[in-house]
PDB file of all heavy atoms in Angstrom:
ATOM      1  N   THR E 133      19.780  -5.997  -2.136  1.00  0.00           N
ATOM      2  CA  THR E 133      20.985  -6.362  -2.949  1.00  0.00           C
ATOM      3  C   THR E 133      20.817  -6.240  -4.362  1.00  0.00           C
ATOM      4  O   THR E 133      21.782  -6.315  -5.151  1.00  0.00           O
ATOM      5  CB  THR E 133      21.342  -7.865  -2.582  1.00  0.00           C
ATOM      6  OG1 THR E 133      20.233  -8.661  -2.961  1.00  0.00           O
ATOM      7  CG2 THR E 133      21.634  -8.047  -1.167  1.00  0.00           C
ATOM      8  N   TRP E 134      19.613  -5.888  -4.884  1.00  0.00           N
ATOM      9  CA  TRP E 134      19.346  -5.782  -6.256  1.00  0.00           C
ATOM     10  C   TRP E 134      19.179  -4.331  -6.761  1.00  0.00           C
ATOM     11  O   TRP E 134      18.748  -4.132  -7.874  1.00  0.00           O
ATOM     12  CB  TRP E 134      18.092  -6.602  -6.645  1.00  0.00           C
ATOM     13  CG  TRP E 134      18.286  -8.114  -6.567  1.00  0.00           C
ATOM     14  CD1 TRP E 134      18.917  -8.757  -5.556  1.00  0.00           C
ATOM     15  CD2 TRP E 134      17.854  -9.034  -7.539  1.00  0.00           C
ATOM     16  NE1 TRP E 134      18.866 -10.075  -5.910  1.00  0.00           N
ATOM     17  CE2 TRP E 134      18.244 -10.338  -7.108  1.00  0.00           C
ATOM     18  CE3 TRP E 134      17.163  -8.972  -8.759  1.00  0.00           C
ATOM     19  CZ2 TRP E 134      17.853 -11.474  -7.764  1.00  0.00           C
ATOM     20  CZ3 TRP E 134      16.873 -10.116  -9.420  1.00  0.00           C
ATOM     21  CH2 TRP E 134      17.333 -11.367  -8.995  1.00  0.00           C
ATOM     22  N   SER E 135      19.467  -3.401  -5.931  1.00  0.00           N
ATOM     23  CA  SER E 135      19.298  -2.046  -6.281  1.00  0.00           C
ATOM     24  C   SER E 135      20.259  -1.104  -5.437  1.00  0.00           C
ATOM     25  O   SER E 135      20.501  -1.404  -4.248  1.00  0.00           O
ATOM     26  CB  SER E 135      17.833  -1.600  -6.087  1.00  0.00           C
ATOM     27  OG  SER E 135      17.651  -0.239  -6.258  1.00  0.00           O
ATOM     28  N   VAL E 136      20.616   0.043  -6.005  1.00  0.00           N
ATOM     29  CA  VAL E 136      21.356   1.010  -5.164  1.00  0.00           C
ATOM     30  C   VAL E 136      20.343   1.752  -4.278  1.00  0.00           C
ATOM     31  O   VAL E 136      20.678   2.034  -3.151  1.00  0.00           O
ATOM     32  CB  VAL E 136      22.132   1.937  -6.176  1.00  0.00           C
ATOM     33  CG1 VAL E 136      22.662   3.117  -5.382  1.00  0.00           C
ATOM     34  CG2 VAL E 136      23.133   1.293  -6.987  1.00  0.00           C
ATOM     35  N   GLY E 137      19.140   2.041  -4.820  1.00  0.00           N
ATOM     36  CA  GLY E 137      18.207   2.727  -4.021  1.00  0.00           C
ATOM     37  C   GLY E 137      17.471   1.645  -3.075  1.00  0.00           C
ATOM     38  O   GLY E 137      17.563   0.498  -3.199  1.00  0.00           O
ATOM     39  N   ASP E 138      16.714   2.309  -2.087  1.00  0.00           N
ATOM     40  CA  ASP E 138      15.981   1.437  -1.206  1.00  0.00           C
ATOM     41  C   ASP E 138      14.791   0.831  -1.904  1.00  0.00           C
ATOM     42  O   ASP E 138      14.345   1.171  -2.989  1.00  0.00           O
ATOM     43  CB  ASP E 138      15.438   2.351  -0.068  1.00  0.00           C
ATOM     44  CG  ASP E 138      16.522   2.684   0.919  1.00  0.00           C
ATOM     45  OD1 ASP E 138      17.609   2.119   0.867  1.00  0.00           O
ATOM     46  OD2 ASP E 138      16.200   3.559   1.732  1.00  0.00           O
ATOM     47  N   PHE E 139      14.217  -0.176  -1.188  1.00  0.00           N
ATOM     48  CA  PHE E 139      12.965  -0.814  -1.513  1.00  0.00           C
ATOM     49  C   PHE E 139      11.936  -0.378  -0.527  1.00  0.00           C
ATOM     50  O   PHE E 139      12.275   0.014   0.626  1.00  0.00           O
ATOM     51  CB  PHE E 139      13.042  -2.382  -1.506  1.00  0.00           C
ATOM     52  CG  PHE E 139      13.936  -2.937  -2.563  1.00  0.00           C
ATOM     53  CD1 PHE E 139      14.614  -4.136  -2.269  1.00  0.00           C
ATOM     54  CD2 PHE E 139      14.074  -2.398  -3.779  1.00  0.00           C
ATOM     55  CE1 PHE E 139      15.420  -4.741  -3.279  1.00  0.00           C
ATOM     56  CE2 PHE E 139      14.824  -2.944  -4.758  1.00  0.00           C
ATOM     57  CZ  PHE E 139      15.494  -4.166  -4.475  1.00  0.00           C
ATOM     58  N   CYS E 140      10.650  -0.486  -0.831  1.00  0.00           N
ATOM     59  CA  CYS E 140       9.594  -0.097   0.013  1.00  0.00           C
ATOM     60  C   CYS E 140       8.713  -1.204   0.209  1.00  0.00           C
ATOM     61  O   CYS E 140       8.054  -1.753  -0.667  1.00  0.00           O
ATOM     62  CB  CYS E 140       8.758   1.094  -0.561  1.00  0.00           C
ATOM     63  SG  CYS E 140       7.381   1.624   0.432  1.00  0.00           S
ATOM     64  N   TYR E 141       8.652  -1.714   1.495  1.00  0.00           N
ATOM     65  CA  TYR E 141       7.788  -2.883   1.827  1.00  0.00           C
ATOM     66  C   TYR E 141       6.536  -2.265   2.417  1.00  0.00           C
ATOM     67  O   TYR E 141       6.545  -1.708   3.533  1.00  0.00           O
ATOM     68  CB  TYR E 141       8.497  -3.766   2.805  1.00  0.00           C
ATOM     69  CG  TYR E 141       7.638  -4.903   3.351  1.00  0.00           C
ATOM     70  CD1 TYR E 141       6.973  -5.699   2.471  1.00  0.00           C
ATOM     71  CD2 TYR E 141       7.473  -5.150   4.683  1.00  0.00           C
ATOM     72  CE1 TYR E 141       6.076  -6.770   2.943  1.00  0.00           C
ATOM     73  CE2 TYR E 141       6.729  -6.166   5.136  1.00  0.00           C
ATOM     74  CZ  TYR E 141       5.990  -6.947   4.269  1.00  0.00           C
ATOM     75  OH  TYR E 141       5.227  -7.989   4.712  1.00  0.00           O
ATOM     76  N   LEU E 142       5.422  -2.528   1.747  1.00  0.00           N
ATOM     77  CA  LEU E 142       4.023  -2.104   2.318  1.00  0.00           C
ATOM     78  C   LEU E 142       3.726  -3.254   3.253  1.00  0.00           C
ATOM     79  O   LEU E 142       3.203  -4.292   2.855  1.00  0.00           O
ATOM     80  CB  LEU E 142       3.061  -1.929   1.193  1.00  0.00           C
ATOM     81  CG  LEU E 142       1.836  -1.304   1.428  1.00  0.00           C
ATOM     82  CD1 LEU E 142       1.101  -0.811   0.158  1.00  0.00           C
ATOM     83  CD2 LEU E 142       0.886  -2.121   2.294  1.00  0.00           C
ATOM     84  N   GLU E 143       3.816  -3.055   4.560  1.00  0.00           N
ATOM     85  CA  GLU E 143       3.657  -4.142   5.509  1.00  0.00           C
ATOM     86  C   GLU E 143       2.219  -4.267   5.933  1.00  0.00           C
ATOM     87  O   GLU E 143       1.744  -5.502   6.043  1.00  0.00           O
ATOM     88  CB  GLU E 143       4.533  -3.885   6.762  1.00  0.00           C
ATOM     89  CG  GLU E 143       4.488  -5.005   7.710  1.00  0.00           C
ATOM     90  CD  GLU E 143       5.638  -5.028   8.794  1.00  0.00           C
ATOM     91  OE1 GLU E 143       6.442  -4.027   8.806  1.00  0.00           O
ATOM     92  OE2 GLU E 143       5.685  -5.947   9.571  1.00  0.00           O
ATOM     93  N   ASP E 144       1.531  -3.236   6.135  1.00  0.00           N
ATOM     94  CA  ASP E 144       0.122  -3.232   6.554  1.00  0.00           C
ATOM     95  C   ASP E 144      -0.712  -2.357   5.827  1.00  0.00           C
ATOM     96  O   ASP E 144      -0.367  -1.245   5.442  1.00  0.00           O
ATOM     97  CB  ASP E 144       0.045  -2.862   8.051  1.00  0.00           C
ATOM     98  CG  ASP E 144       0.977  -3.620   9.021  1.00  0.00           C
ATOM     99  OD1 ASP E 144       1.021  -4.841   8.979  1.00  0.00           O
ATOM    100  OD2 ASP E 144       1.746  -2.912   9.788  1.00  0.00           O
ATOM    101  N   LEU E 145      -1.938  -2.819   5.511  1.00  0.00           N
ATOM    102  CA  LEU E 145      -2.991  -2.022   4.803  1.00  0.00           C
ATOM    103  C   LEU E 145      -4.279  -2.383   5.342  1.00  0.00           C
ATOM    104  O   LEU E 145      -4.672  -3.602   5.327  1.00  0.00           O
ATOM    105  CB  LEU E 145      -2.882  -2.196   3.249  1.00  0.00           C
ATOM    106  CG  LEU E 145      -4.058  -1.587   2.488  1.00  0.00           C
ATOM    107  CD1 LEU E 145      -3.810  -0.036   2.415  1.00  0.00           C
ATOM    108  CD2 LEU E 145      -3.937  -2.116   1.062  1.00  0.00           C
ATOM    109  N   PHE E 146      -5.072  -1.429   5.817  1.00  0.00           N
ATOM    110  CA  PHE E 146      -6.377  -1.700   6.325  1.00  0.00           C
ATOM    111  C   PHE E 146      -7.324  -0.545   6.138  1.00  0.00           C
ATOM    112  O   PHE E 146      -6.988   0.591   6.266  1.00  0.00           O
ATOM    113  CB  PHE E 146      -6.289  -1.998   7.875  1.00  0.00           C
ATOM    114  CG  PHE E 146      -7.607  -2.386   8.519  1.00  0.00           C
ATOM    115  CD1 PHE E 146      -8.111  -3.681   8.334  1.00  0.00           C
ATOM    116  CD2 PHE E 146      -8.379  -1.480   9.362  1.00  0.00           C
ATOM    117  CE1 PHE E 146      -9.269  -4.060   8.914  1.00  0.00           C
ATOM    118  CE2 PHE E 146      -9.522  -1.919   9.904  1.00  0.00           C
ATOM    119  CZ  PHE E 146     -10.043  -3.179   9.663  1.00  0.00           C
ATOM    120  N   VAL E 147      -8.582  -0.899   5.790  1.00  0.00           N
ATOM    121  CA  VAL E 147      -9.620   0.002   5.604  1.00  0.00           C
ATOM    122  C   VAL E 147     -10.761  -0.365   6.467  1.00  0.00           C
ATOM    123  O   VAL E 147     -11.146  -1.543   6.468  1.00  0.00           O
ATOM    124  CB  VAL E 147     -10.075   0.110   4.122  1.00  0.00           C
ATOM    125  CG1 VAL E 147     -11.286   1.037   3.880  1.00  0.00           C
ATOM    126  CG2 VAL E 147      -8.900   0.583   3.209  1.00  0.00           C
ATOM    127  N   ALA E 148     -11.342   0.599   7.150  1.00  0.00           N
ATOM    128  CA  ALA E 148     -12.495   0.292   8.005  1.00  0.00           C
ATOM    129  C   ALA E 148     -13.620  -0.294   7.182  1.00  0.00           C
ATOM    130  O   ALA E 148     -13.831   0.103   6.057  1.00  0.00           O
ATOM    131  CB  ALA E 148     -12.996   1.610   8.728  1.00  0.00           C
ATOM    132  N   PRO E 149     -14.279  -1.306   7.767  1.00  0.00           N
ATOM    133  CA  PRO E 149     -15.390  -2.045   6.959  1.00  0.00           C
ATOM    134  C   PRO E 149     -16.449  -1.054   6.409  1.00  0.00           C
ATOM    135  O   PRO E 149     -16.938  -1.256   5.278  1.00  0.00           O
ATOM    136  CB  PRO E 149     -15.937  -2.933   8.003  1.00  0.00           C
ATOM    137  CG  PRO E 149     -14.861  -3.228   8.930  1.00  0.00           C
ATOM    138  CD  PRO E 149     -14.077  -1.932   9.048  1.00  0.00           C
ATOM    139  N   THR E 150     -16.738   0.027   7.101  1.00  0.00           N
ATOM    140  CA  THR E 150     -17.769   1.012   6.543  1.00  0.00           C
ATOM    141  C   THR E 150     -17.235   1.853   5.467  1.00  0.00           C
ATOM    142  O   THR E 150     -18.055   2.469   4.821  1.00  0.00           O
ATOM    143  CB  THR E 150     -18.257   1.890   7.718  1.00  0.00           C
ATOM    144  OG1 THR E 150     -17.039   2.595   8.215  1.00  0.00           O
ATOM    145  CG2 THR E 150     -18.896   1.202   8.816  1.00  0.00           C
ATOM    146  N   ALA E 151     -15.921   1.814   5.239  1.00  0.00           N
ATOM    147  CA  ALA E 151     -15.257   2.620   4.113  1.00  0.00           C
ATOM    148  C   ALA E 151     -14.830   1.774   2.955  1.00  0.00           C
ATOM    149  O   ALA E 151     -14.212   2.377   1.956  1.00  0.00           O
ATOM    150  CB  ALA E 151     -14.224   3.468   4.718  1.00  0.00           C
ATOM    151  N   ARG E 152     -15.077   0.509   2.977  1.00  0.00           N
ATOM    152  CA  ARG E 152     -14.597  -0.327   1.903  1.00  0.00           C
ATOM    153  C   ARG E 152     -15.388  -0.145   0.615  1.00  0.00           C
ATOM    154  O   ARG E 152     -16.549   0.369   0.594  1.00  0.00           O
ATOM    155  CB  ARG E 152     -14.615  -1.787   2.297  1.00  0.00           C
ATOM    156  CG  ARG E 152     -13.655  -2.040   3.414  1.00  0.00           C
ATOM    157  CD  ARG E 152     -13.510  -3.434   3.854  1.00  0.00           C
ATOM    158  NE  ARG E 152     -12.586  -3.633   4.958  1.00  0.00           N
ATOM    159  CZ  ARG E 152     -12.636  -4.517   5.879  1.00  0.00           C
ATOM    160  NH1 ARG E 152     -13.524  -5.466   5.772  1.00  0.00           N
ATOM    161  NH2 ARG E 152     -11.720  -4.510   6.827  1.00  0.00           N
ATOM    162  N   LYS E 153     -14.760  -0.527  -0.579  1.00  0.00           N
ATOM    163  CA  LYS E 153     -15.331  -0.371  -1.845  1.00  0.00           C
ATOM    164  C   LYS E 153     -15.575   1.081  -2.246  1.00  0.00           C
ATOM    165  O   LYS E 153     -16.505   1.355  -3.019  1.00  0.00           O
ATOM    166  CB  LYS E 153     -16.517  -1.253  -2.046  1.00  0.00           C
ATOM    167  CG  LYS E 153     -16.325  -2.666  -1.790  1.00  0.00           C
ATOM    168  CD  LYS E 153     -17.398  -3.592  -2.354  1.00  0.00           C
ATOM    169  CE  LYS E 153     -17.153  -4.998  -2.089  1.00  0.00           C
ATOM    170  NZ  LYS E 153     -16.023  -5.633  -2.640  1.00  0.00           N
ATOM    171  N   GLN E 154     -14.774   2.013  -1.719  1.00  0.00           N
ATOM    172  CA  GLN E 154     -14.907   3.394  -1.974  1.00  0.00           C
ATOM    173  C   GLN E 154     -13.607   3.987  -2.529  1.00  0.00           C
ATOM    174  O   GLN E 154     -13.511   5.259  -2.569  1.00  0.00           O
ATOM    175  CB  GLN E 154     -15.385   4.224  -0.760  1.00  0.00           C
ATOM    176  CG  GLN E 154     -16.735   3.770  -0.219  1.00  0.00           C
ATOM    177  CD  GLN E 154     -17.075   4.476   1.052  1.00  0.00           C
ATOM    178  OE1 GLN E 154     -16.680   5.558   1.384  1.00  0.00           O
ATOM    179  NE2 GLN E 154     -17.861   3.787   1.852  1.00  0.00           N
ATOM    180  N   GLY E 155     -12.633   3.066  -2.786  1.00  0.00           N
ATOM    181  CA  GLY E 155     -11.428   3.632  -3.357  1.00  0.00           C
ATOM    182  C   GLY E 155     -10.281   3.922  -2.362  1.00  0.00           C
ATOM    183  O   GLY E 155      -9.271   4.508  -2.690  1.00  0.00           O
ATOM    184  N   VAL E 156     -10.582   3.713  -1.083  1.00  0.00           N
ATOM    185  CA  VAL E 156      -9.608   4.026   0.020  1.00  0.00           C
ATOM    186  C   VAL E 156      -8.366   3.161  -0.129  1.00  0.00           C
ATOM    187  O   VAL E 156      -7.324   3.821  -0.038  1.00  0.00           O
ATOM    188  CB  VAL E 156     -10.300   3.869   1.406  1.00  0.00           C
ATOM    189  CG1 VAL E 156      -9.203   4.119   2.520  1.00  0.00           C
ATOM    190  CG2 VAL E 156     -11.538   4.724   1.530  1.00  0.00           C
ATOM    191  N   ALA E 157      -8.459   1.904  -0.280  1.00  0.00           N
ATOM    192  CA  ALA E 157      -7.211   1.099  -0.387  1.00  0.00           C
ATOM    193  C   ALA E 157      -6.401   1.516  -1.563  1.00  0.00           C
ATOM    194  O   ALA E 157      -5.251   1.676  -1.525  1.00  0.00           O
ATOM    195  CB  ALA E 157      -7.567  -0.383  -0.424  1.00  0.00           C
ATOM    196  N   ARG E 158      -7.042   1.756  -2.780  1.00  0.00           N
ATOM    197  CA  ARG E 158      -6.343   2.199  -3.896  1.00  0.00           C
ATOM    198  C   ARG E 158      -5.690   3.458  -3.653  1.00  0.00           C
ATOM    199  O   ARG E 158      -4.449   3.658  -4.005  1.00  0.00           O
ATOM    200  CB  ARG E 158      -7.264   2.308  -5.112  1.00  0.00           C
ATOM    201  CG  ARG E 158      -6.644   2.734  -6.354  1.00  0.00           C
ATOM    202  CD  ARG E 158      -7.588   2.927  -7.522  1.00  0.00           C
ATOM    203  NE  ARG E 158      -8.141   1.731  -7.989  1.00  0.00           N
ATOM    204  CZ  ARG E 158      -7.682   1.044  -8.966  1.00  0.00           C
ATOM    205  NH1 ARG E 158      -6.579   1.462  -9.637  1.00  0.00           N
ATOM    206  NH2 ARG E 158      -8.202  -0.106  -9.342  1.00  0.00           N
ATOM    207  N   ALA E 159      -6.264   4.379  -3.049  1.00  0.00           N
ATOM    208  CA  ALA E 159      -5.744   5.731  -2.777  1.00  0.00           C
ATOM    209  C   ALA E 159      -4.527   5.590  -1.783  1.00  0.00           C
ATOM    210  O   ALA E 159      -3.497   6.313  -1.998  1.00  0.00           O
ATOM    211  CB  ALA E 159      -6.741   6.630  -2.207  1.00  0.00           C
ATOM    212  N   LEU E 160      -4.699   4.703  -0.788  1.00  0.00           N
ATOM    213  CA  LEU E 160      -3.481   4.539   0.100  1.00  0.00           C
ATOM    214  C   LEU E 160      -2.284   3.933  -0.640  1.00  0.00           C
ATOM    215  O   LEU E 160      -1.194   4.318  -0.452  1.00  0.00           O
ATOM    216  CB  LEU E 160      -3.882   3.636   1.241  1.00  0.00           C
ATOM    217  CG  LEU E 160      -4.808   4.345   2.375  1.00  0.00           C
ATOM    218  CD1 LEU E 160      -5.426   3.280   3.223  1.00  0.00           C
ATOM    219  CD2 LEU E 160      -3.893   5.282   3.152  1.00  0.00           C
ATOM    220  N   ILE E 161      -2.611   2.900  -1.527  1.00  0.00           N
ATOM    221  CA  ILE E 161      -1.461   2.331  -2.290  1.00  0.00           C
ATOM    222  C   ILE E 161      -0.885   3.245  -3.217  1.00  0.00           C
ATOM    223  O   ILE E 161       0.433   3.433  -3.330  1.00  0.00           O
ATOM    224  CB  ILE E 161      -1.935   1.004  -2.959  1.00  0.00           C
ATOM    225  CG1 ILE E 161      -2.271  -0.034  -1.977  1.00  0.00           C
ATOM    226  CG2 ILE E 161      -0.799   0.566  -3.970  1.00  0.00           C
ATOM    227  CD1 ILE E 161      -2.981  -1.279  -2.529  1.00  0.00           C
ATOM    228  N   GLU E 162      -1.621   4.111  -3.853  1.00  0.00           N
ATOM    229  CA  GLU E 162      -1.112   5.184  -4.810  1.00  0.00           C
ATOM    230  C   GLU E 162      -0.259   6.170  -4.053  1.00  0.00           C
ATOM    231  O   GLU E 162       0.766   6.641  -4.549  1.00  0.00           O
ATOM    232  CB  GLU E 162      -2.203   5.783  -5.566  1.00  0.00           C
ATOM    233  CG  GLU E 162      -2.766   4.831  -6.592  1.00  0.00           C
ATOM    234  CD  GLU E 162      -4.048   5.370  -7.316  1.00  0.00           C
ATOM    235  OE1 GLU E 162      -4.522   6.457  -6.985  1.00  0.00           O
ATOM    236  OE2 GLU E 162      -4.492   4.711  -8.235  1.00  0.00           O
ATOM    237  N   ALA E 163      -0.692   6.459  -2.821  1.00  0.00           N
ATOM    238  CA  ALA E 163       0.093   7.317  -1.998  1.00  0.00           C
ATOM    239  C   ALA E 163       1.399   6.734  -1.493  1.00  0.00           C
ATOM    240  O   ALA E 163       2.466   7.422  -1.441  1.00  0.00           O
ATOM    241  CB  ALA E 163      -0.704   7.822  -0.708  1.00  0.00           C
ATOM    242  N   VAL E 164       1.417   5.404  -1.283  1.00  0.00           N
ATOM    243  CA  VAL E 164       2.682   4.716  -1.047  1.00  0.00           C
ATOM    244  C   VAL E 164       3.583   4.773  -2.287  1.00  0.00           C
ATOM    245  O   VAL E 164       4.805   5.019  -2.172  1.00  0.00           O
ATOM    246  CB  VAL E 164       2.444   3.206  -0.584  1.00  0.00           C
ATOM    247  CG1 VAL E 164       3.716   2.437  -0.617  1.00  0.00           C
ATOM    248  CG2 VAL E 164       1.731   3.187   0.722  1.00  0.00           C
ATOM    249  N   TYR E 165       2.995   4.575  -3.435  1.00  0.00           N
ATOM    250  CA  TYR E 165       3.731   4.700  -4.697  1.00  0.00           C
ATOM    251  C   TYR E 165       4.434   6.040  -4.810  1.00  0.00           C
ATOM    252  O   TYR E 165       5.636   6.136  -5.144  1.00  0.00           O
ATOM    253  CB  TYR E 165       2.954   4.400  -5.916  1.00  0.00           C
ATOM    254  CG  TYR E 165       2.518   2.997  -6.178  1.00  0.00           C
ATOM    255  CD1 TYR E 165       1.547   2.712  -7.125  1.00  0.00           C
ATOM    256  CD2 TYR E 165       3.078   1.876  -5.561  1.00  0.00           C
ATOM    257  CE1 TYR E 165       1.135   1.431  -7.356  1.00  0.00           C
ATOM    258  CE2 TYR E 165       2.681   0.575  -5.795  1.00  0.00           C
ATOM    259  CZ  TYR E 165       1.706   0.397  -6.797  1.00  0.00           C
ATOM    260  OH  TYR E 165       1.331  -0.863  -7.061  1.00  0.00           O
ATOM    261  N   ALA E 166       3.706   7.103  -4.529  1.00  0.00           N
ATOM    262  CA  ALA E 166       4.242   8.451  -4.576  1.00  0.00           C
ATOM    263  C   ALA E 166       5.326   8.672  -3.537  1.00  0.00           C
ATOM    264  O   ALA E 166       6.370   9.263  -3.860  1.00  0.00           O
ATOM    265  CB  ALA E 166       3.119   9.493  -4.421  1.00  0.00           C
TER     266      ALA E 166
END
């Protein structure tokens, strides 16, 4: 109701424990932004 354009709800985000602290979550969020 606050915009003509859509909103984007990032509902789920998960990184495998062995891949954490390697920038994976940041890269996924940046891809969502794009």
Side-chain angles (χ1 to χ4, degrees):
T133 59
W134 288 45
S135 175
V136 173
D138 284 348
F139 293 147
C140 178
Y141 175 51
L142 193 163
E143 187 165 3
D144 307 309
L145 174 67
F146 184 74
V147 175
T150 57
R152 292 186 183 151
K153 299 198 184 297
Q154 298 175 30
V156 178
R158 179 184 292 268
L160 284 163
I161 293 170
E162 289 174 354
V164 169
Y165 286 168

